[in-house]
Every structure is written in structure tokens, then in C-alpha cells.
Amino acid sequence: MDNHQDSRSSRASDSPGDTMNDVYNAWYEMLEGEGAGLAARVAELEVRCARQAEELLCLRSTLADALRRLNALEGRAPPTTQKNGTYTGSTGTPTREVRMRQPSYRETAKRTSSYGSSVSSLPQRRGPQHQSTGSLQSDSPASSSSLSPAPSPSPRATPAPHLAPHPPQPYRSRNNSTSSNQSASPANLTKRWNSTGDFNAQGLTANSRFTTTKSLLNLYSKPSQNGPILKHGTHTCQYNEEEGSMRMFLRGRPVVLYGPSDLDGLDPGKVAPPPQNKLKLEWVYGYRGKDCRNNLYLLPTGEIVYFVAAVVVLLNVEEQCQRHYTGHTDDVKCLSIHPNKLIVASGQCAGHDRVDARPHVRVWNSVSLATLAVLGGSQIERGVAALSFSRADGGSLLAAVDDAPDHTISVWDWQRPDKHCLADTKCSVDTVVAVEFHPLDRNQIVTCGKNHIAFWTLDQTNMLYKRMGVFESRDKPKYVTCLGFNPNGDVLSGDSNGNIIVWGRGTNTILKMVRGVHEGSIFTLCCLKDGSVLSGGGKDGRVVMFDSEMNATGMENVIEGHYGGVRVVAEGRGSQIYIGTTKNCILHGDLQLGFTPAVLGHVDELWGLATHPTLPQFVTAGWDRLLQLWDGLSHSTVWSKDIEERAQCCAWASDGSAVAVGALSGRWLVFEPASRDLLAAHHDGNEPIQTIQYSPDNKYVALGSRDNFIYIYQVDDNCSRYSRLGKCLGHSSYITHLDWSEDSQYIRSNSGDYELLYWNATTCRQITNPTSMRDVVWATNHCPITFTTIGVWPEGADGTDINSCTKSHDGRLVATGDDFGKVKLYAYPVTQPKSLCHAYGGHSSHVTCVRFLPDDSRLLSTGGLDTAIAQWIVD
């Protein structure tokens, strides 16, 4: 009995402690279980948030692409087969003898060392897509028997697929869009947006509610006004009614011009109206990779964005269509893409126009092309060298580096109504080539350039503090050329020694160095979505892939040397990448299959332009020694040839059987367009051949030289044999332009000292009585100093201000290209001293040549130093 009671009392005394232990154990187990479950749920929520962020970006991309496609469908005409001429071939990538070229872009020009200045006034819009049917056949022997030229071996040859030629059809413009100066009503917002010229204040009204960068609706901001500008000259002219002559003064020098004998009385005080036709920018051929960096990106709309001259081009490589942002007034020098992938910032250099000549930054929407902000017009001195949107805070800030001697860095709150500059300070006395916001650390900025890399911090008081990167003395490069970031937030830099350096996150010290990646400078580092890194060599042309830890993966590719070195690498869709090169080309492809050209351009000053007499094709020739044949409908290069001479001018034979090219050395060469064989080569004088023209009957060719002479040759054997008849002596300055009469008997010519002289072509003698030539009908109007082009000269004009003049084949229009980057359109004849015109900008250098295609549906213009070719639809 006692034992039993003891046992019960023992159990009774033990039970409270055991119970408490059990409770604590259960509580701990429950807490641990809840903690593990909570951690799992938090991780799941983080993954879900990341997925939703990706889905939002994907939805933005899809919506932007859908908007673009709807706009494309809205006004598209039924597909028609385009005219396929003697030198056209396959769709796809054109093969080129020296470089093959796909589509390019447009603009107008001005004479200045950087490329000049112009007011952007381009109302332009591309209509339906013109699929390429004008490219080269492959190098197979069978192609030599086809109508397309058989490409000869060349460093830029790229094979192209064969397609059956399409039957010829008229190639009038199929653009049925509304005019750029019409309002875009809400019901018409699905129209195809091809350029900023398609928008006006009525179409897209500014609304501060939509300035947030997190919304697609910020499309509807007030765009820049870029319609055609009406201008007229007001220079003093004296009309002599008895003689039927006009005395015009160029730089104080009188020039007497005689009108036709049946001319009615002319009142010099009247103002001639502008033509009913206007120009729309359709395509711009070219790319500026020669001296600019970080200027190639893929947008969610499926377009790549890049710039040339004063135009930012949005090109869809697959659909072969272009749109253009034309808000800039001079050379665009840099680009940056907002983290939402829809907003673009572009910076330009200082211009020479009285209007909008200051260097500045423009922030704009890539879907609507509406301008959202204009920054730095009063602070930036010389030009914008580099731009970067902030990334860790959703793109609310924008950093810019001035190209002035102190290379000032400024940070802008670009969404504020007053476009407030938060901070600015001197960056470096040495050249700065890149600026980047850190993708993970807010208010952290990295800059690099000559002899330095700098790490900046923007504190809460908006002060910028700099720490210089610390190099080991023996490894310090002359230039730090590019920047990137790995997934951990470490900073990557490429340099002129071919090394890649990893800088520890938050530090200014080297964490890792990968030596000898490239021979020569590394111009670009592209960090892909999967964490791997691509580096591009500017000298060796190699693209090398690394993993996220900067270990070589063994994957690399080398672009062909004739495309130049790698300037920039941009990630495309899937495994595709885009490469901008130092020879103004854009290639696309992947590391395994290689690369093909998407955009090809001239690399040096461009003067030569001539249109085919019957086909929608044209040739260009420049100081880069390239002669290129283009198809104006497919916007592609049919072929390209290295002629080993710096070319100044070119011309088609009247039957299209030959192309003559005049060079700076005084040589001139003749090529057969189909085979690109050299038919003839001659040398006249030691000065540049300034202009060259075949007679309408194709029996003669005249060459105007800088040595003041005009050389005339007789043409035989289908333009393959040339015999010199003589040279015309009489000009006291270099020859600038010449025209043939319709009967091929006479020539008129202009010179550098504003003379207009007439010549008998068969005897090479000057006709000293100009009144006897007043009723001669001229086949062309390339001479700007004539009675029928008096009104193209502005008041106080230097006689060399107008570089090129051309009359449409139907005799209704005259177009000019001038030193101020303008393409102007007049109603022909321009006999009134005060004649209104439509003026268009876009070139950032002097416009060196303008020519109409044979059916007058399009006008072509070339920019000198900007190396761009603009193709305009005559609407």
C-alpha cells in the first residue's frame, strides 16, 4: 500500500515538468516548422514577383510590337511585285563584291568637322514594306548567265539565296499614308508611325498624367514639330525686260542670266509659291560605328535602334521596314535605353543653325516617337559624349557626359516638369568614353576613358563624389574603353591592352583580371540575360563568350575583316546577337552560325550619286573607294566594289550599259554594271574629276575637272572605248556642274567663281554669245546657276552654298542640297528670285548630291561627312 502511494506521488510530482517540456518541445517544433514554411513561402513569393516582373516586361514588349504591327496593317496596300531590273536578284542578304548591303537610313547634311548642323524638319513615313528583291545572286557559275550580276570574289562577299525574279511592274510609291502635317485623330492612332514628322500637337497632346516611365501611355506626349519649313530667298536681282535677262549677285559678283525668248514679263518682287508635292523620308542608308560607341540596341518592338547623322533609326531587320526619330538638329553621338525598354535618350553635338543649335539630350518614346523631354540646352557646351539611365530605381535619373574639355558629368531628374539637373561636376580632363549607372546599387555611377576608371556616388544632398580605380602600375591601360556588370554587381571593364578587369562591387580595387582576351582594344562588353558576357575586339574582330565568373567558355567567332572591327555587341532574341562595326556595318547572327549584314554603309566622305536611266536603282561612290549599286525599292545593296580610287562623282550611260566614276587623282573609270568589269580607265590632269555626264545620245561623255578644264570623249563599242575629242578652256575656276542639251550638241557649265559658260561639244569651243543659247532645251538641270534656278539662291549666298541641283524628269520639280544640311524642293522653273520651297533636315553634313529616280517617285540625297544616303518619297 505504501509503495503504491509512493509511486503515485512520484508520478504526480514529475508530471508538471514533463508537461512543460512537452509543451516547449512542441512549441519549438511548431516554430521551426512555421519558420521553414515561411521561408519557403517567401522564396516562392520572390520567384513569383520575379516572374510577374518578367511577364510585365513581356506584356509591354508584346503590346509595343502589336501596336507597331497594327499600324503597319492599317494603311498597307495589297502586296505587289516590284520592278526587277537587270541587276536585281534574290531576297534575303545581298551578296556584295566588297560589302553587301541591306537597308539603311536617311538624313540631310551640313558642312562641319563633326558632320554639321541642320534643323530637323522631316515629315516622313514609310508605307508598305518593300521586301528585298534586288540583291545579288551567289557566286555560282550559273549566276553569270542570269540577268543579275555575278559577284566576283571579294572580302565582303556573303552568299544569298536564289529567288525567281518577279515580273516587272510599275514602281510608283505605294505609300498611302496621310500627310505629315495632318492631325492624327484618336481614331487614326493606329496609323503606321514611321517618323516624328507624322505627329503634331493635335495628334498627341501632352498630359503630365502620363509622364511616368512605368506606363505605356506616356506615348501621348507632345512631340517635336518637324514639318516642312517654307523658305524663300530675298537676294537682290535686277530684271532687264528688253533683254529678257536677270542680273543676280553672288557674293557681290554680278551674274547675267538670259531667259527664253518667249518669256513673258517677269516681276522680281513677286513670290513664287512652293510646289504642291512634299517629301517624306522613306529610308536612311548608313550607320555611325566609325567613331561612336554603345549605339545599338534591340527594342521590344523587334526593331534595332541606332543612329546616323541627325537621325535615330528604328529598323526591323526581319520585316525590312524603318522608322525614324528626327528631333535632332545635328550629329547624334550617343544613345541610352530606359529599363522599361520603351524610352530612348539620344544626345547630339553642337550645331551651326541659329535655331536649336545648342547640344542637348532628347528623351523620346520608341513606339510613338513622341518627345518626352529635352535636357541640357544651356548646360552642355560641346556635345553629349555618353548617356545612361539609372537602373536600380526604375530609370528616374539620366546621367550625361559633356564632350567639353572638362568632360562635365551631370545627373538629371528628367521626368520633372522643369527638367531639373540634380548634380554636375567636372569629370576628367582626359577623354571620357562611357558612363553607366550601377544596375543594383542606387546612385552609383561608373565612368571610364583615357587613363582612368572612376566610381561615383550621388549622395542624398545631390553631391557627386568620385573614387578612382586603382591599377597596378604595370597593368594600367592607356584607355579603359568599355563597361559592363556581372550578375553579382561587380563592374567589368575592357581596355586598350585587350584585358578584362573585374572590380569588386562597391570597391575601386581589382578583384580579377583576364589578360590577353583580344589583340588590341576591347570596344564592347555585352552582359546577356543568362549571366554570360560577350567581349568584342576592335582590332581582331573576335567576339568571345565568358560565363558569369569570367571563365572562357570556348565559344567565339570572328567577323570578316572587310566589315571592320567590333564596335558594339547587342543581345537579340534567343541566341541572336547584333554587332555594330567600325566600318559602319551592322551584322546579325550568332556565335555558332556566324553573321550576315543587316546594314552596310559608306565609311568616308560621300559625293558621288547617280540614278539609273530607267530602273529604280542608283550608284554611290565615296572617298572610301567603294562603288555601290543600290535597289531603291528593296532598300538593299545589289553589289559593292572596291575601285581602289577615292571617288568624287559618278554617272550612268544613257542606256544604262555603263557606270563612269571620277576620282580625286584625276583618273576616271568605267564599269559594266552586270559583271562589274572594268571597261576603260583614263587619266586627265592631276586634279579631282568634279563632275561627269554622258550625252543623251550616249555618243559623248564630258568630265569637269578641278583644273578648270572640261574634257570631252567620244564613246564607242557600247561604252567600252573612249577617244578624247579635246578639252574646253575658258573657265577661270574649277568646274562644279555641267549639263548636256537634249540634242547632245551643247554643254553648259558652272564653275567655282559663279560663271555660266556654254560650249559646242563636238568642237570643244566656247560659245561666247549666251543669248544664242537662250532657247536651247537642256536634258538636265544640274547647274544651279541658270535662269531657271535663280530662286534657289538665298540672300547673301556664297556661290558654293548649293552643292547640288536636279530637275525631275517630268519637269515639275527642282531639288537642291546645300551646305547647311538641307534638302529643298521647289516648283520648276524657279525663275522668281523670291521662291518658296519645302526644306527638310536630317543630314548633319553638307548635302553633296541630290537626284530623282527615273519615275520621279523618289528623291535621293547624300551627306558628305555624315556618309548617309537618304531616300525620300515624293508625295
Side-chain angles (χ1 to χ4, degrees):
M1 185 72 177
D2 293 337
N3 292 336
H4 181 63
Q5 289 178 348
D6 292 341
S7 66
R8 280 189 299 175
S9 63
S10 175
R11 284 197 301 272
S13 62
D14 292 341
S15 59
D18 294 341
T19 303
M20 289 300 294
N21 289 334
D22 293 341
V23 171
Y24 285 134
N25 291 336
W27 183 75
Y28 282 124
E29 290 175 3
M30 182 178 67
L31 188 61
E32 289 176 0
E34 286 296 324
L38 181 63
R41 287 197 297 274
V42 169
E44 183 181 354
L45 284 173
E46 288 178 344
V47 172
R48 186 178 299 176
C49 287
R51 286 178 182 168
Q52 288 178 346
E54 292 175 357
E55 288 173 0
L56 284 173
L57 182 58
C58 184
L59 284 172
R60 281 198 188 116
S61 304
T62 305
L63 180 56
D65 197 30
L67 281 172
R68 187 181 58 78
R69 292 175 182 272
L70 284 172
N71 298 330
L73 292 172
E74 183 268 343
R76 180 173 299 187
T80 59
T81 359
Q82 70 180 36
K83 184 164 182 176
N84 196 21
T86 308
Y87 315 119
T88 59
S90 63
T91 57
T93 305
T95 46
R96 342 179 355 134
E97 181 173 303
V98 175
R99 310 161 30 156
M100 244 124 349
R101 193 198 278 248
Q102 292 273 119
S104 278
Y105 6 147
R106 82 82 143 119
E107 60 187 284
T108 21
K110 158 143 189 176
R111 180 168 301 166
T112 155
S113 60
S114 171
Y115 290 8
S117 141
S118 65
V119 173
S120 181
S121 56
L122 312 170
Q124 63 236 8
R125 216 164 64 60
R126 210 172 110 66
Q129 274 38 333
H130 303 292
Q131 297 300 329
S132 169
T133 58
S135 38
L136 271 192
Q137 301 286 356
S138 71
D139 282 331
S140 64
S143 66
S144 61
S145 61
S146 69
L147 291 179
S148 297
S152 57
S154 105
R156 290 220 174 178
T158 303
H162 288 267
L163 285 185
H166 295 291
Q169 293 204 3
Y171 61 99
R172 297 292 301 183
S173 166
R174 293 173 286 171
N175 188 326
N176 57 1
S177 64
T178 56
S179 173
S180 62
N181 58 357
Q182 294 174 345
S183 63
S185 63
N188 196 32
L189 284 179
T190 55
K191 69 191 279 289
R192 181 178 191 80
W193 293 313
N194 270 353
S195 80
T196 47
D198 291 326
F199 292 87
N200 57 18
Q202 293 176 331
L204 298 176
T205 56
N207 191 329
S208 60
R209 219 159 48 93
F210 298 130
T211 57
T212 169
T213 61
K214 297 178 181 179
S215 170
L216 277 174
L217 295 178
N218 59 17
L219 312 181
Y220 308 119
S221 305
K222 186 175 180 180
S224 57
Q225 302 297 309
N226 291 310
I229 303 171
L230 291 178
K231 295 184 177 181
H232 66 80
T234 56
H235 51 79
T236 303
C237 286
Q238 300 170 356
Y239 180 61
N240 187 320
E241 190 169 356
E242 293 182 0
E243 295 182 355
S245 66
M246 185 79 74
R247 182 184 295 268
M248 179 176 68
F249 293 88
L250 288 175
R251 241 181 160 177
R253 177 170 180 169
V255 180
V256 180
L257 305 170
Y258 292 90
S261 56
D262 59 354
L263 178 70
D264 293 333
L266 189 67
D267 182 1
K270 288 185 178 180
V271 177
Q276 293 182 349
N277 300 91
K278 296 180 181 179
L279 300 179
K280 289 184 179 181
L281 186 68
E282 180 184 25
W283 203 267
V284 184
Y285 304 87
Y287 161 71
R288 186 166 179 173
K290 180 180 178 181
D291 58 352
C292 292
R293 306 161 186 266
N294 302 325
N295 60 353
L296 178 63
Y297 300 92
L298 177 70
L299 299 177
T301 55
E303 299 162 306
I304 54 174
V305 58
Y306 56 92
F307 57 77
V308 62
V311 182
V312 185
V313 182
L314 300 95
L315 166 66
N316 189 302
V317 177
E318 295 176 357
E319 299 179 9
Q320 285 301 288
C321 61
Q322 274 190 4
R323 298 186 298 137
H324 311 97
Y325 178 75
T326 59
H328 286 282
T329 59
D330 210 274
D331 283 302
V332 182
K333 301 296 290 292
C334 54
L335 282 178
S336 181
I337 305 298
H338 193 275
N340 69 8
K341 305 296 184 184
L342 296 176
I343 293 173
V344 180
S346 47
Q348 71 166 69
C349 67
H352 296 265
D353 239 319
R354 294 179 181 177
V355 183
D356 296 330
R358 296 291 302 172
H360 61 272
V361 177
R362 305 184 78 89
V363 183
W364 47 280
N365 191 283
S366 63
V367 178
S368 68
L369 303 178
T371 301
L372 307 178
V374 179
L375 313 171
S378 58
Q379 288 96 326
I380 300 174
E381 293 182 28
R382 181 177 296 176
V384 188
L387 286 171
S388 177
F389 278 106
S390 57
R391 296 158 69 178
D393 63 355
S396 62
L397 303 179
L398 180 66
V401 175
D402 190 355
D403 204 19
D406 289 330
H407 296 94
T408 302
I409 180 173
S410 54
V411 179
W412 301 79
D413 186 353
W414 67 270
Q415 295 181 87
R416 283 179 50 166
D418 59 353
K419 309 299 181 288
H420 183 56
C421 179
L422 297 180
D424 66 319
T425 186
K426 294 179 180 179
C427 184
S428 171
V429 294
D430 293 317
T431 303
V432 178
V433 300
V435 60
E436 292 288 346
F437 268 95
H438 198 284
L440 303 178
D441 299 333
R442 293 180 58 137
N443 300 335
Q444 299 295 312
I445 305 172
V446 187
T447 61
C448 68
K450 185 177 181 180
N451 294 319
H452 78 278
I453 180 171
F455 301 88
W456 300 81
T457 300
L458 180 67
D459 68 9
Q460 294 181 347
T461 62
N462 292 330
M463 293 292 292
L464 281 166
Y465 297 95
K466 177 173 68 170
R467 292 176 300 159
M468 300 299 293
V470 179
F471 292 93
E472 297 179 12
S473 58
R474 61 188 178 87
D475 292 320
K476 186 172 183 179
K478 185 175 182 180
Y479 275 90
V480 179
T481 49
C482 56
L483 297 171
F485 301 90
N486 67 15
N488 300 327
D490 297 330
V491 179
L492 310 177
S493 67
D495 58 42
S496 54
N497 294 337
N499 302 330
I500 298 176
I501 297 176
V502 182
W503 304 82
R505 178 177 177 179
T507 73
N508 61 341
T509 57
I510 296 175
L511 191 65
K512 181 179 181 179
M513 177 180 288
V514 186
R515 301 178 186 275
V517 177
H518 292 276
E519 179 186 352
S521 296
I522 299 174
F523 281 155
T524 181
L525 290 172
C526 177
C527 302
L528 307 180
K529 294 186 183 73
D530 61 5
S532 55
V533 177
L534 296 176
S535 67
K539 183 178 180 181
D540 57 18
R542 292 167 57 235
V543 180
V544 182
M545 177 177 281
F546 297 86
D547 62 19
S548 58
E549 301 297 326
M550 293 310 297
N551 299 311
T553 62
M555 291 187 63
E556 65 174 74
N557 204 310
V558 184
I559 66 173
E560 299 176 39
H562 46 268
Y563 294 123
V566 178
R567 174 65 74 186
V568 60
V569 175
E571 184 174 13
R573 291 176 173 172
S575 62
Q576 188 179 52
I577 62 175
Y578 292 89
I579 299 176
T581 76
T582 56
K583 288 191 177 179
N584 294 352
C585 304
I586 297 177
L587 313 177
H588 64 113
D590 58 45
L591 293 180
Q592 292 182 333
L593 300 179
F595 301 94
T596 55
V599 174
L600 295 164
H602 281 279
V603 190
D604 208 341
E605 192 160 350
L606 181 60
W607 283 84
L609 169 67
T611 54
H612 193 282
T614 57
L615 301 177
Q617 297 180 337
F618 58 96
V619 291
T620 56
W623 291 9
D624 55 5
R625 299 177 172 83
L626 288 178
L627 174 67
Q628 311 201 61
L629 174 64
W630 307 81
D631 186 279
L633 297 187
S634 64
H635 310 122
S636 62
T637 300
V638 181
W639 52 256
S640 179
K641 182 179 181 64
D642 187 342
I643 61 173
E644 300 178 353
E645 289 282 350
R646 301 175 70 189
Q648 180 73 16
C649 59
C650 53
W652 284 91
S654 301
D655 58 0
S657 61
V659 173
V661 182
L664 294 182
S665 63
R667 291 190 72 204
W668 57 279
L669 314 170
V670 182
F671 298 93
E672 201 279 317
S675 64
R676 296 182 298 291
D677 292 337
L678 180 65
L679 298 178
H682 295 270
H683 204 131
D684 288 296
N686 296 316
E687 297 288 330
I689 303 296
Q690 297 280 98
T691 181
I692 185 168
Q693 293 292 331
Y694 281 89
S695 64
D697 62 7
N698 226 37
K699 293 182 179 178
Y700 306 100
V701 64
L703 302 91
S705 173
R706 201 169 179 85
D707 63 7
N708 304 358
F709 302 138
I710 298 174
Y711 300 90
I712 300 179
Y713 281 76
Q714 183 174 323
V715 181
D716 298 299
D717 297 343
N718 295 323
C719 299
S720 62
R721 189 162 60 88
Y722 295 80
S723 308
R724 192 164 98 173
L725 294 180
K727 63 181 179 181
C728 303
L729 293 76
H731 274 296
S732 55
S733 184
Y734 58 91
I735 313 301
T736 57
H737 308 85
L738 59 85
D739 291 307
W740 282 92
S741 62
E742 281 194 350
D743 59 8
S744 303
Q745 295 300 306
Y746 304 105
I747 295 172
R748 66 180 176 186
S749 56
N750 288 162
S751 64
D753 56 359
Y754 331 128
E755 290 179 320
L756 171 62
L757 301 184
Y758 299 92
W759 313 88
N760 185 310
T762 55
T763 62
C764 302
R765 297 293 181 89
Q766 181 182 350
I767 299 172
T768 55
N769 182 11
T771 57
S772 65
M773 306 298 293
R774 64 195 317 163
D775 293 323
V776 172
V777 180
W778 301 96
T780 58
N781 206 143
H782 295 160
C783 291
I785 304 175
T786 64
F787 186 85
T788 52
T789 56
I790 290 172
V792 305
W793 292 94
E795 183 175 2
D798 180 332
T800 60
D801 283 345
I802 296 178
N803 299 311
S804 182
C805 177
T806 188
K807 178 183 69 174
S808 62
H809 298 81
D810 60 11
R812 295 188 304 109
L813 299 170
V814 164
T816 64
D818 61 31
D819 267 7
F820 310 104
K822 296 294 185 297
V823 173
K824 295 180 179 178
L825 193 66
Y826 297 84
Y828 184 84
V830 202
T831 53
Q832 291 294 144
K834 299 179 181 179
S835 296
L836 293 171
C837 69
H838 300 295
Y840 302 88
H843 285 292
S844 58
S845 177
H846 43 291
V847 182
T848 52
C849 195
V850 288
R851 293 290 185 266
F852 286 95
L853 284 181
D855 70 342
D856 297 328
S857 65
R858 290 166 174 83
L859 176 73
L860 295 152
S861 61
T862 55
L865 289 169
D866 66 27
T867 70
I869 307 161
Q871 182 169 308
W872 311 79
I873 289 177
V874 181
D875 197 15

